[in-house]
Amino acid sequence: MVDVNGVRLHIAEEGEGPLVVLLHGFPESWHSWRHQFGPLAEAGFRVVAPDQRGYGRSEHPDDVAAYSILHLVGDVVGLIQALGEEKAYVVGHDWGAPVAWHTALLRPDVVLGVAGLSVPPPFRGTEPPLAAMDAMFGGRFYWNYFNRPGVADAEFAKDTRTTLRKFLYSASGDAPDAGQGKQPLIEPGQGWLVSMPDPEVLPKWLTEDDLDALTDSFAQGFTGALNWYRNLDRNWELTAPWHGAVVSPPALYVYGDLDPVPAFPGTPELIAALPGLMPNLRRAPLRLEGCGHWTQQERPDEVNAALIDFLTELRG
Protein backbone atom coordinates (compact mmCIF):
# COMPACT_ATOMS: atom_id res chain seq x y z
CA MET A 1 0.00 0.00 0.00
CA VAL A 2 1.36 3.42 -0.99
CA ASP A 3 0.09 6.89 -0.03
CA VAL A 4 -0.12 8.91 -3.22
CA ASN A 5 -1.79 12.22 -4.13
CA GLY A 6 -4.20 12.09 -1.19
CA VAL A 7 -5.28 8.46 -1.72
CA ARG A 8 -3.94 5.09 -0.65
CA LEU A 9 -3.12 2.81 -3.58
CA HIS A 10 -2.55 -0.93 -3.57
CA ILE A 11 0.31 -2.01 -5.82
CA ALA A 12 1.88 -5.23 -7.04
CA GLU A 13 5.63 -5.18 -7.67
CA GLU A 14 8.40 -7.38 -9.07
CA GLY A 15 11.95 -6.94 -10.31
CA GLU A 16 14.77 -4.42 -10.10
CA GLY A 17 15.95 -1.79 -12.55
CA PRO A 18 14.31 1.14 -14.37
CA LEU A 19 10.71 1.59 -13.24
CA VAL A 20 7.83 0.47 -15.48
CA VAL A 21 4.33 1.45 -14.30
CA LEU A 22 1.49 -0.68 -15.69
CA LEU A 23 -1.98 0.88 -15.64
CA HIS A 24 -5.08 -1.31 -15.99
CA GLY A 25 -8.44 -0.43 -17.52
CA PHE A 26 -12.15 -1.09 -16.96
CA PRO A 27 -13.37 -3.37 -15.48
CA GLU A 28 -10.03 -4.73 -14.34
CA SER A 29 -7.33 -4.58 -11.66
CA TRP A 30 -3.56 -4.91 -11.35
CA HIS A 31 -4.13 -8.64 -12.03
CA SER A 32 -4.71 -7.93 -15.74
CA TRP A 33 -0.90 -7.55 -16.03
CA ARG A 34 -0.15 -10.98 -14.51
CA HIS A 35 1.56 -12.17 -17.71
CA GLN A 36 3.85 -9.13 -17.93
CA PHE A 37 5.50 -9.13 -14.50
CA GLY A 38 7.86 -12.07 -15.00
CA PRO A 39 9.10 -11.30 -18.52
CA LEU A 40 9.61 -7.58 -17.83
CA ALA A 41 11.39 -8.29 -14.54
CA GLU A 42 13.62 -10.86 -16.26
CA ALA A 43 14.43 -8.23 -18.88
CA GLY A 44 15.83 -6.01 -16.13
CA PHE A 45 12.95 -3.75 -15.14
CA ARG A 46 11.20 -2.92 -11.88
CA VAL A 47 7.54 -3.55 -12.63
CA VAL A 48 4.76 -1.92 -10.59
CA ALA A 49 1.03 -2.22 -11.28
CA PRO A 50 -1.41 -0.34 -9.05
CA ASP A 51 -5.07 -0.85 -8.51
CA GLN A 52 -5.98 2.63 -9.72
CA ARG A 53 -8.20 4.85 -7.58
CA GLY A 54 -11.74 3.49 -7.39
CA TYR A 55 -10.56 -0.07 -8.01
CA GLY A 56 -9.66 -3.13 -5.95
CA ARG A 57 -7.93 -2.56 -2.64
CA SER A 58 -7.08 1.06 -3.42
CA GLU A 59 -9.17 3.90 -2.03
CA HIS A 60 -12.53 4.75 -3.60
CA PRO A 61 -13.17 8.49 -3.11
CA ASP A 62 -16.88 9.39 -2.87
CA ASP A 63 -16.67 12.59 -4.91
CA VAL A 64 -17.23 11.98 -8.63
CA ALA A 65 -14.96 14.92 -9.44
CA ALA A 66 -12.07 13.12 -7.70
CA TYR A 67 -11.73 10.86 -10.75
CA SER A 68 -10.72 13.49 -13.30
CA ILE A 69 -7.82 12.90 -15.66
CA LEU A 70 -5.75 15.39 -13.63
CA HIS A 71 -6.28 13.31 -10.48
CA LEU A 72 -5.37 10.12 -12.35
CA VAL A 73 -2.21 11.62 -13.84
CA GLY A 74 -1.38 12.98 -10.40
CA ASP A 75 -1.61 9.45 -9.01
CA VAL A 76 0.93 8.19 -11.55
CA VAL A 77 3.37 11.05 -10.97
CA GLY A 78 2.95 10.69 -7.21
CA LEU A 79 3.46 6.93 -7.40
CA ILE A 80 6.70 7.33 -9.34
CA GLN A 81 7.98 9.71 -6.67
CA ALA A 82 6.71 7.57 -3.77
CA LEU A 83 8.67 4.64 -5.21
CA GLY A 84 11.84 6.70 -5.00
CA GLU A 85 12.19 7.44 -8.71
CA GLU A 86 12.26 10.63 -10.74
CA LYS A 87 11.23 9.09 -14.05
CA ALA A 88 9.55 5.93 -15.35
CA TYR A 89 8.22 4.14 -18.38
CA VAL A 90 4.41 4.21 -18.34
CA VAL A 91 2.22 1.57 -20.01
CA GLY A 92 -1.57 1.56 -20.03
CA HIS A 93 -4.43 -0.55 -21.35
CA ASP A 94 -8.03 0.55 -21.99
CA TRP A 95 -8.69 3.43 -19.50
CA GLY A 96 -5.11 3.01 -18.32
CA ALA A 97 -3.97 4.06 -21.80
CA PRO A 98 -5.49 7.57 -21.63
CA VAL A 99 -3.93 7.93 -18.18
CA ALA A 100 -0.54 6.87 -19.58
CA TRP A 101 -0.89 9.09 -22.66
CA HIS A 102 -1.94 12.10 -20.58
CA THR A 103 0.88 11.53 -18.10
CA ALA A 104 3.27 11.74 -21.06
CA LEU A 105 1.41 14.75 -22.48
CA LEU A 106 1.21 16.72 -19.22
CA ARG A 107 4.49 15.61 -17.62
CA PRO A 108 6.94 14.57 -20.35
CA ASP A 109 9.75 15.35 -17.91
CA VAL A 110 8.92 12.25 -15.84
CA VAL A 111 8.06 9.83 -18.69
CA LEU A 112 10.95 7.96 -20.30
CA GLY A 113 8.61 6.27 -22.75
CA VAL A 114 4.89 5.58 -23.05
CA ALA A 115 2.95 2.63 -24.47
CA GLY A 116 -0.80 2.37 -24.94
CA LEU A 117 -2.80 -0.78 -25.60
CA SER A 118 -6.23 -0.64 -27.29
CA VAL A 119 -6.89 3.10 -26.83
CA PRO A 120 -4.78 5.33 -29.13
CA PRO A 121 -3.10 8.60 -28.09
CA PRO A 122 -5.39 11.52 -27.23
CA PHE A 123 -6.21 14.22 -29.73
CA ARG A 124 -8.74 16.52 -28.09
CA GLY A 125 -11.90 16.97 -30.12
CA THR A 126 -13.87 20.13 -30.74
CA GLU A 127 -16.81 19.22 -28.49
CA PRO A 128 -17.36 17.35 -25.20
CA PRO A 129 -17.29 13.57 -25.80
CA LEU A 130 -20.46 12.70 -23.87
CA ALA A 131 -22.40 15.36 -25.74
CA ALA A 132 -20.94 14.20 -29.06
CA MET A 133 -21.87 10.56 -28.49
CA ASP A 134 -25.28 11.55 -27.16
CA ALA A 135 -25.98 13.41 -30.40
CA MET A 136 -24.53 10.66 -32.60
CA PHE A 137 -26.35 7.71 -31.02
CA GLY A 138 -29.36 9.29 -29.29
CA GLY A 139 -28.04 8.59 -25.79
CA ARG A 140 -27.58 4.87 -26.46
CA PHE A 141 -23.75 4.80 -26.45
CA TYR A 142 -22.41 3.07 -23.36
CA TRP A 143 -20.54 6.19 -22.15
CA ASN A 144 -23.90 7.94 -21.81
CA TYR A 145 -25.43 4.93 -20.06
CA PHE A 146 -22.54 4.89 -17.57
CA ASN A 147 -23.05 8.61 -16.94
CA ARG A 148 -26.48 8.06 -15.34
CA PRO A 149 -25.92 8.06 -11.55
CA GLY A 150 -26.48 4.68 -9.95
CA VAL A 151 -27.93 2.93 -13.01
CA ALA A 152 -25.02 0.87 -14.36
CA ASP A 153 -23.70 0.60 -10.80
CA ALA A 154 -26.80 -1.34 -9.76
CA GLU A 155 -26.97 -3.45 -12.92
CA PHE A 156 -23.37 -4.62 -12.69
CA ALA A 157 -23.44 -5.28 -8.93
CA LYS A 158 -26.42 -7.66 -9.06
CA ASP A 159 -24.11 -10.54 -9.96
CA THR A 160 -20.52 -9.32 -10.07
CA ARG A 161 -18.99 -12.53 -11.38
CA THR A 162 -21.49 -12.88 -14.23
CA THR A 163 -21.06 -9.20 -15.09
CA LEU A 164 -17.30 -9.55 -15.38
CA ARG A 165 -17.49 -12.85 -17.27
CA LYS A 166 -19.82 -11.28 -19.83
CA PHE A 167 -17.68 -8.15 -20.16
CA LEU A 168 -14.47 -10.08 -20.68
CA TYR A 169 -15.94 -12.52 -23.16
CA SER A 170 -18.05 -10.10 -25.20
CA ALA A 171 -15.15 -7.72 -25.93
CA SER A 172 -12.64 -10.49 -26.63
CA GLY A 173 -11.53 -11.96 -29.92
CA ASP A 174 -13.44 -15.12 -28.97
CA ALA A 175 -16.90 -13.50 -29.00
CA PRO A 176 -19.25 -14.60 -31.81
CA ASP A 177 -19.53 -11.07 -33.26
CA ALA A 178 -15.90 -10.06 -32.75
CA GLY A 179 -14.53 -7.73 -35.40
CA GLN A 180 -17.88 -6.79 -36.91
CA GLY A 181 -17.49 -3.12 -35.95
CA LYS A 182 -20.65 -3.18 -33.86
CA GLN A 183 -20.95 -0.09 -31.65
CA PRO A 184 -21.63 -0.69 -27.92
CA LEU A 185 -25.17 0.66 -27.70
CA ILE A 186 -27.77 0.17 -24.97
CA GLU A 187 -31.39 0.08 -26.05
CA PRO A 188 -33.83 2.30 -24.12
CA GLY A 189 -35.27 0.60 -21.06
CA GLN A 190 -32.63 -2.12 -21.06
CA GLY A 191 -29.34 -2.64 -19.29
CA TRP A 192 -26.12 -3.39 -21.11
CA LEU A 193 -25.60 -6.96 -19.95
CA VAL A 194 -28.79 -8.30 -21.52
CA SER A 195 -27.25 -8.13 -25.00
CA MET A 196 -23.90 -9.70 -24.03
CA PRO A 197 -23.20 -13.39 -24.68
CA ASP A 198 -22.35 -15.49 -21.63
CA PRO A 199 -19.86 -18.27 -22.46
CA GLU A 200 -20.45 -21.81 -21.23
CA VAL A 201 -16.67 -22.30 -21.25
CA LEU A 202 -14.16 -19.52 -20.60
CA PRO A 203 -11.75 -18.63 -23.42
CA LYS A 204 -8.28 -20.16 -23.11
CA TRP A 205 -6.66 -16.92 -21.94
CA LEU A 206 -8.99 -16.60 -18.92
CA THR A 207 -9.13 -19.13 -16.06
CA GLU A 208 -11.71 -19.51 -13.31
CA ASP A 209 -9.02 -18.41 -10.83
CA ASP A 210 -8.46 -15.24 -12.88
CA LEU A 211 -12.18 -14.54 -12.81
CA ASP A 212 -12.28 -15.20 -9.07
CA ALA A 213 -9.47 -12.69 -8.48
CA LEU A 214 -11.19 -10.05 -10.59
CA THR A 215 -14.54 -10.66 -8.88
CA ASP A 216 -12.94 -10.25 -5.46
CA SER A 217 -11.44 -6.92 -6.56
CA PHE A 218 -14.95 -5.52 -7.16
CA ALA A 219 -16.19 -6.34 -3.66
CA GLN A 220 -16.81 -2.60 -3.15
CA GLY A 221 -18.92 -2.36 -6.30
CA PHE A 222 -18.49 -0.55 -9.60
CA THR A 223 -19.18 3.08 -8.70
CA GLY A 224 -15.53 4.13 -8.36
CA ALA A 225 -14.69 2.64 -11.74
CA LEU A 226 -17.77 4.14 -13.42
CA ASN A 227 -16.89 7.56 -12.03
CA TRP A 228 -13.99 7.66 -14.51
CA TYR A 229 -16.58 7.78 -17.33
CA ARG A 230 -18.57 10.45 -15.49
CA ASN A 231 -15.58 12.76 -15.93
CA LEU A 232 -15.30 12.52 -19.71
CA ASP A 233 -16.75 15.96 -20.35
CA ARG A 234 -14.93 17.42 -17.34
CA ASN A 235 -11.68 16.01 -18.72
CA TRP A 236 -12.39 17.70 -22.04
CA GLU A 237 -12.74 21.01 -20.21
CA LEU A 238 -9.65 20.48 -18.05
CA THR A 239 -7.40 19.58 -20.98
CA ALA A 240 -8.26 22.69 -23.01
CA PRO A 241 -4.74 24.12 -22.44
CA TRP A 242 -3.31 21.11 -24.30
CA HIS A 243 -5.62 21.34 -27.30
CA GLY A 244 -3.51 20.58 -30.36
CA ALA A 245 -0.57 19.31 -28.31
CA VAL A 246 0.94 15.91 -29.06
CA VAL A 247 2.60 13.29 -26.89
CA SER A 248 6.33 13.94 -27.17
CA PRO A 249 8.09 11.09 -25.27
CA PRO A 250 8.97 7.92 -27.23
CA ALA A 251 5.74 6.02 -27.83
CA LEU A 252 4.32 2.63 -28.79
CA TYR A 253 0.72 1.78 -29.69
CA VAL A 254 -0.63 -1.79 -29.83
CA TYR A 255 -4.18 -2.94 -30.60
CA GLY A 256 -6.15 -6.00 -31.62
CA ASP A 257 -7.86 -6.20 -34.99
CA LEU A 258 -11.00 -7.60 -33.30
CA ASP A 259 -11.05 -5.00 -30.50
CA PRO A 260 -14.28 -2.94 -30.60
CA VAL A 261 -12.56 0.20 -29.22
CA PRO A 262 -10.40 0.95 -32.33
CA ALA A 263 -13.66 0.77 -34.31
CA PHE A 264 -15.26 3.65 -32.37
CA PRO A 265 -16.31 6.61 -34.57
CA GLY A 266 -13.26 8.42 -35.91
CA THR A 267 -10.75 6.02 -34.35
CA PRO A 268 -9.78 3.98 -37.45
CA GLU A 269 -8.87 7.23 -39.21
CA LEU A 270 -6.86 8.40 -36.20
CA ILE A 271 -4.89 5.13 -36.03
CA ALA A 272 -4.10 5.31 -39.74
CA ALA A 273 -2.81 8.87 -39.31
CA LEU A 274 -0.78 8.26 -36.13
CA PRO A 275 2.65 7.87 -37.79
CA GLY A 276 2.28 11.36 -39.24
CA LEU A 277 0.76 12.86 -36.09
CA MET A 278 3.13 11.42 -33.48
CA PRO A 279 6.71 12.70 -33.85
CA ASN A 280 8.16 10.09 -31.52
CA LEU A 281 6.10 7.01 -32.34
CA ARG A 282 8.86 4.41 -32.54
CA ARG A 283 7.07 2.09 -34.98
CA ALA A 284 3.82 1.93 -36.89
CA PRO A 285 0.83 0.93 -34.74
CA LEU A 286 1.16 -2.78 -33.97
CA ARG A 287 -2.01 -4.61 -35.04
CA LEU A 288 -2.46 -8.05 -33.47
CA GLU A 289 -4.51 -10.39 -35.63
CA GLY A 290 -7.30 -12.31 -33.93
CA CYS A 291 -6.95 -10.25 -30.76
CA GLY A 292 -9.88 -8.57 -29.05
CA HIS A 293 -9.94 -5.86 -26.40
CA TRP A 294 -7.97 -7.54 -23.57
CA THR A 295 -4.68 -7.12 -25.39
CA GLN A 296 -2.06 -8.14 -22.81
CA GLN A 297 -4.20 -11.04 -21.59
CA GLU A 298 -5.26 -12.42 -24.97
CA ARG A 299 -1.83 -12.03 -26.61
CA PRO A 300 0.70 -11.92 -23.75
CA ASP A 301 3.68 -13.25 -25.72
CA GLU A 302 3.31 -10.73 -28.55
CA VAL A 303 2.64 -7.85 -26.16
CA ASN A 304 5.61 -8.80 -23.97
CA ALA A 305 7.92 -9.02 -26.99
CA ALA A 306 6.79 -5.60 -28.24
CA LEU A 307 7.12 -3.99 -24.79
CA ILE A 308 10.54 -5.50 -24.10
CA ASP A 309 11.86 -4.42 -27.52
CA PHE A 310 10.52 -0.90 -26.97
CA LEU A 311 11.78 -0.55 -23.39
CA THR A 312 15.19 -2.08 -23.90
CA GLU A 313 15.81 0.09 -26.97
CA LEU A 314 15.01 3.20 -24.93
CA ARG A 315 17.09 2.03 -21.97
CA GLY A 316 20.06 1.61 -24.28
Side-chain angles (χ1 to χ4, degrees):
M1 303 298 294
V2 183
D3 290 314
V4 168
N5 192 28
V7 296
R8 195 159 173 77
L9 298 182
H10 166 252
I11 67 169
E13 180 175 10
E14 184 176 351
E16 296 179 356
L19 177 62
V20 179
V21 178
L22 304 176
L23 303 170
H24 67 80
F26 174 91
E28 299 177 277
S29 71
W30 73 267
H31 187 72
S32 70
W33 299 104
R34 60 194 176 278
H35 301 301
Q36 281 65 54
F37 278 92
L40 289 175
E42 289 171 13
F45 295 95
R46 179 188 183 190
V47 188
V48 172
D51 283 332
Q52 298 202 73
R53 67 166 62 200
Y55 284 87
R57 292 167 55 193
S58 292
E59 281 193 57
H60 297 227
D62 292 329
D63 184 4
V64 174
Y67 295 86
S68 79
I69 194 66
L70 298 188
H71 289 85
L72 303 174
V73 169
D75 290 350
V76 178
V77 174
L79 179 60
I80 292 169
Q81 295 170 348
L83 294 171
E85 301 292 344
E86 296 181 357
K87 301 183 179 185
Y89 303 97
V90 184
V91 180
H93 166 258
D94 182 77
W95 249 115
V99 178
W101 295 126
H102 278 91
T103 302
L105 182 68
L106 276 56
R107 291 299 306 273
D109 57 309
V110 302
V111 176
L112 296 167
V114 57
L117 312 181
S118 176
V119 181
F123 287 86
R124 186 176 178 274
T126 56
E127 57 183 323
L130 286 172
M133 288 304 190
D134 190 30
M136 189 176 299
F137 295 109
R140 292 183 298 146
F141 198 69
Y142 79 105
W143 292 356
N144 302 102
Y145 178 66
F146 285 4
N147 197 46
R148 298 167 196 158
V151 177
D153 320 48
E155 182 194 5
F156 299 160
K158 282 180 183 175
D159 184 340
T160 300
R161 200 170 196 279
T162 297
T163 293
L164 294 169
R165 183 175 61 246
K166 283 190 164 191
F167 265 125
L168 292 171
Y169 180 65
S170 65
S172 75
D174 299 273
D177 59 354
Q180 294 181 13
K182 189 175 167 186
Q183 298 298 328
L185 305 180
I186 291 88
E187 297 305 319
Q190 295 185 354
W192 196 12
L193 298 174
V194 67
S195 63
M196 290 186 183
D198 192 359
E200 293 183 7
V201 179
L202 294 178
K204 291 180 180 179
W205 54 269
L206 182 69
T207 69
E208 296 290 349
D209 287 343
D210 293 331
L211 189 55
D212 288 341
L214 186 58
T215 302
D216 288 345
S217 76
F218 280 91
Q220 296 186 57
F222 289 83
T223 299
L226 290 168
N227 282 342
W228 290 44
Y229 291 89
R230 293 162 183 159
N231 278 275
L232 282 167
D233 282 1
R234 183 180 286 111
N235 293 342
W236 182 82
E237 296 172 1
L238 292 172
T239 55
W242 292 273
H243 190 86
V246 297
V247 173
S248 58
L252 172 72
Y253 174 56
V254 182
Y255 70 105
D257 67 341
L258 301 182
D259 184 344
V261 172
F264 284 0
T267 308
E269 295 80 5
L270 171 61
I271 294 172
L274 277 179
L277 295 171
M278 293 275 290
N280 222 348
L281 195 68
R282 288 305 175 101
R283 59 174 293 175
L286 177 57
R287 184 171 177 264
L288 302 179
E289 293 189 8
C291 180
H293 180 61
W294 316 104
T295 329
Q296 74 273 23
Q297 298 182 70
E298 293 186 55
R299 292 290 186 276
D301 292 344
E302 291 160 276
V303 169
N304 292 344
L307 287 176
I308 290 170
D309 285 349
F310 174 66
L311 296 171
T312 52
E313 179 187 345
L314 294 180
R315 181 178 58 184

